[in-house]
Amino acid sequence: MMNFIARFLRFVVWVLILSWGLKLIGKLLAWAFQRAVDTDQQDGSEGNSSSRDAQRTLTARQLVRDPVCGVHLAESLAIPYREDGQLMHFCSAECRDKYASGILRRAVNG
Ligand SMILES: [Zn+2]
């Protein structure tokens, strides 16, 4: 009879340990899952901030106007041309040359 009680107690202890262990594993999984969700959210916020950075660089990137053909383009893509200390931007070398020859013509005429 004592042997049976001892076995039963051992069984109860095992059940307790197993349930506690399962609960712990569940908590760990929930924690890991929560962490994964958190990092996802952090990635999302980073994505938002990077898109904000992109917007900032977009606004920081000056749009310049080609005075010859009137096209607006990013300053980094434009062909710079300095004339009388004033920096002009052109969409192509063709426009730049056209503008330069126009200056030349004006200079000759005037
Ligand atoms: Zn042009």
Side-chain angles (χ1 to χ4, degrees), residues 1 3 11 14 23 26-27 50 56 73 76 82 86 100:
M1 191 61 192
N3 196 17
F11 172 75
W14 266 111
K23 213 180 277 180
K27 262 186 192 173
S50 66
R56 215 176 300 141
L73 68 161
S76 55
R82 195 173 285 278
Q86 199 189 352

Side-chain angles (χ1 to χ4, degrees), residues 66-71 73 89-92 94-96 98:
D66 183 329
V68 173
C69 64
V71 152
L73 68 161
H89 291 91
F90 299 93
C91 69
S92 61
E94 196 187 337
C95 281
R96 182 197 58 195
K98 215 179 276 182

Side-chain angles (χ1 to χ4, degrees), residues 41-71:
Q41 281 170 352
Q42 276 169 12
D43 285 351
S45 64
E46 274 168 19
N48 287 342
S49 68
S50 66
S51 68
R52 273 202 299 274
D53 286 348
Q55 274 184 341
R56 215 176 300 141
T57 47
L58 211 71
T59 49
R61 192 191 292 159
Q62 286 279 321
L63 273 182
V64 292
R65 188 173 168 276
D66 183 329
V68 173
C69 64
V71 152

